[in-house]
Amino acid sequence: MDWYFGMKGHIGVDAGTGYVHSVTATAANVHDLDQVTHLVRPDDEVVYADAGYQGVEKRPVVAASEDLSGIEWRIAARKGALRAMPAQDRAIASTQAGVRGKVEHPFLIVKRDFGFTKTRYRGIAKNRNHLNMLFASANWLMRGRALPLTG
């Protein structure tokens, strides 16, 4: 019998450059909040995250860490709460969504340009190594596209 085991890739992206700086992989049943300590760098001051990371500042691991507790967490509002916000707050949320959108671009490259839409489960470690290579290649591709053409 062939079993399918779901896997999720998590990345940390620099807001200024858009380059991936952290990659982790987990089983699909692991909550996103469990990976936050692996994705945030010690020198980060502000972190933008989607609604799946709500309540991150209350987690014991984050509250106990000197580096993580000093971070300003800008977490997206859930869709239902977003509709109920005043127009000015929705505009701020829209601006923050533009910053969070930088995380999606490397996933687009990995899926569209490299064709990595499905994977065989070969163990978390092997799949994580594969993701590391894919996102490192995505960084190189983004860098190459950003360079001006000479000649």
Side-chain angles (χ1 to χ4, degrees):
M1 182 181 283
D2 195 23
W3 289 92
Y4 171 74
F5 295 97
M7 184 191 82
K8 289 194 290 188
H10 309 270
I11 61 173
V13 175
D14 183 72
T17 62
Y19 297 145
V20 177
H21 59 71
S22 308
V23 178
T24 64
T26 62
N29 63 350
V30 175
H31 198 281
D32 293 346
L33 281 174
D34 294 341
Q35 295 302 305
V36 76
T37 57
H38 304 293
L39 300 174
V40 177
R41 297 177 294 183
D43 63 338
D44 284 340
E45 296 174 2
V46 179
V47 172
Y48 294 86
D50 63 18
Y53 290 89
Q54 285 187 347
V56 67
E57 63 276 350
K58 298 174 190 168
R59 304 232 357 148
V61 171
V62 174
S65 170
E66 187 176 313
D67 293 332
L68 295 175
S69 64
I71 291 175
E72 180 182 344
W73 298 93
R74 295 187 182 170
I75 310 299
R78 300 208 184 272
K79 286 186 181 183
L82 193 60
R83 286 187 214 117
M85 286 183 180
Q88 184 179 3
D89 291 342
R90 280 197 308 264
I92 292 169
S94 178
T95 302
Q96 290 179 355
V99 176
R100 284 191 314 275
K102 290 194 177 199
V103 173
E104 301 304 325
H105 188 69
F107 278 110
L108 173 79
I109 291 171
V110 166
K111 289 179 177 182
R112 184 193 60 198
D113 296 343
F114 300 153
F116 189 77
T117 55
K118 292 184 180 180
T119 184
R120 281 186 53 212
Y121 182 78
R122 297 181 171 126
I124 292 292
K126 286 183 180 179
N127 285 357
R128 185 182 328 112
N129 286 336
H130 194 183
L131 287 175
N132 278 319
M133 291 304 300
L134 286 166
F135 285 113
S137 299
N139 282 348
W140 278 104
L141 185 65
M142 287 187 286
R143 176 69 179 143
R145 289 176 178 170
L147 291 175
L149 296 175
T150 58

